[in-house]
Amino acid sequence: DAGVIQSPRHEVTEMGQEVTLRCKPISGHNSLFWYRQTMMRGLELLIYFNNNVPIDDSGMPEDRFSAKMPNASFSTLKIQPSEPRDSAVYFCASSQDSEQYFGPGTRLTVT
Amino acid sequence: GENVEQHPSTLSVQEGDSAVIKCTYSDSASNYFPWYKQELGKGPQLIIDIRSNVGEKKDQRIAVTLNKTAKHFSLHITETQPEDSAVYFCAASIASGTYKYIFGTGTRLKVLA
């Protein structure tokens, strides 16, 4: 199994630009999670989906952030417009039951 | 709100010694407690987990203990090796019927050769 796949691995963009992060969960997993990791705040859950339906988006920082899961094998996290404080590593994780498996992450730098 | 505290934040041990990382949680409904290892530039990797109906679980050099009464759980690594050097995170599930975790703040473990 290839594990959770994320793209791009690194993204550098200018403030105000739109950023789209992509995730392919492990085949057969029915839950998908987006996390953000920073030194100051650690690992924060942004949103999670179950069977492609958003269940809890209470961690999404503000309206500039949106996430979609159009099918069981693909999800996106979009930031529009991006700001320097959005700089972080964004992880996608998937699970079939309790165990969550993380992707390699996307390191986002907003200048 | 729900909270997971993790100690210590950094830990240095000599190769071959044991390392212990401790976590406490606040939500009495938590019933699943995973531990993750994160190496530099990589995503967190699940290394061991324990459920609330079990007091201890062991996998080779790694063991986890759970005290539900005290809301404590711990990771024990024996015979540490340099490749054990990484950041370790504990987590606790939030209530039942959901798959959300609250993560601890992490412990940076250094194994000195």
Side-chain angles (χ1 to χ4, degrees):
Chain A
D1 196 326
V4 176
I5 298 172
Q6 291 187 246
S7 65
R9 293 295 312 276
H10 301 273
E11 178 79 35
V12 180
T13 191
E14 292 184 349
M15 183 173 65
Q17 296 298 306
E18 177 180 297
V19 175
T20 299
L21 311 181
R22 297 173 176 80
C23 175
K24 177 179 170 53
I26 294 171
S27 177
H29 283 191
N30 58 6
S31 294
L32 183 140
F33 306 80
W34 282 102
Y35 289 89
R36 178 171 67 178
Q37 186 176 42
T38 61
M39 288 295 293
M40 292 299 296
R41 300 174 69 92
L43 266 167
E44 303 174 276
L45 177 66
L46 301 177
I47 185 171
Y48 87 90
F49 296 83
N50 187 246
N51 293 322
N52 312 339
V53 176
I55 302 299
D56 186 340
D57 65 355
S58 59
M60 296 286 261
E62 47 199 275
D63 292 345
R64 297 184 297 106
F65 286 68
S66 62
K68 294 181 179 180
M69 192 164 186
N71 57 62
S73 59
F74 183 66
S75 177
T76 59
L77 178 68
K78 186 178 292 186
I79 308 172
Q80 166 63 17
S82 58
E83 297 182 2
R85 60 193 169 121
D86 301 331
S87 297
V89 181
Y90 290 81
F91 289 104
C92 174
S94 71
S95 72
Q96 173 61 32
D97 192 358
S98 306
E99 301 87 351
Q100 293 183 22
Y101 296 90
F102 282 73
T106 296
R107 180 173 294 277
L108 173 65
T109 303
V110 183
T111 60
Chain B
E2 300 90 355
N3 185 47
V4 173
E5 294 187 2
Q6 182 171 348
H7 300 282
S9 56
T10 60
L11 178 61
S12 293
V13 299
Q14 289 294 135
E15 182 178 359
D17 287 351
S18 296
V20 180
I21 302 170
K22 299 182 178 181
C23 290
T24 60
Y25 61 98
S26 60
D27 186 354
S28 57
S30 296
N31 59 4
Y32 177 69
F33 307 90
W35 285 89
Y36 286 84
K37 175 184 181 183
Q38 186 175 23
E39 297 175 313
L40 194 62
K42 297 184 178 181
Q45 177 190 5
L46 179 66
I47 56 171
I48 196 167
D49 55 14
I50 193 167
R51 299 182 188 274
S52 58
N53 57 349
V54 175
E56 183 173 0
K57 183 177 178 180
K58 189 173 181 179
D59 182 3
Q60 300 182 345
R61 296 186 297 108
I62 294 173
V64 58
T65 59
L66 172 64
N67 182 330
K68 281 218 72 178
T69 303
K71 296 182 187 173
H72 290 172
F73 58 115
S74 301
L75 178 70
H76 304 252
I77 306 173
T78 59
E79 301 172 23
T80 54
Q81 302 168 3
E83 52 265 38
D84 294 330
S85 296
V87 179
Y88 291 81
F89 292 94
C90 64
S93 61
I94 297 175
S96 58
T98 76
Y99 298 111
K100 290 177 62 172
Y101 299 164
I102 290 288
F103 279 88
T105 49
T107 296
R108 183 173 299 278
L109 173 65
K110 293 183 182 179
V111 180
L112 307 172

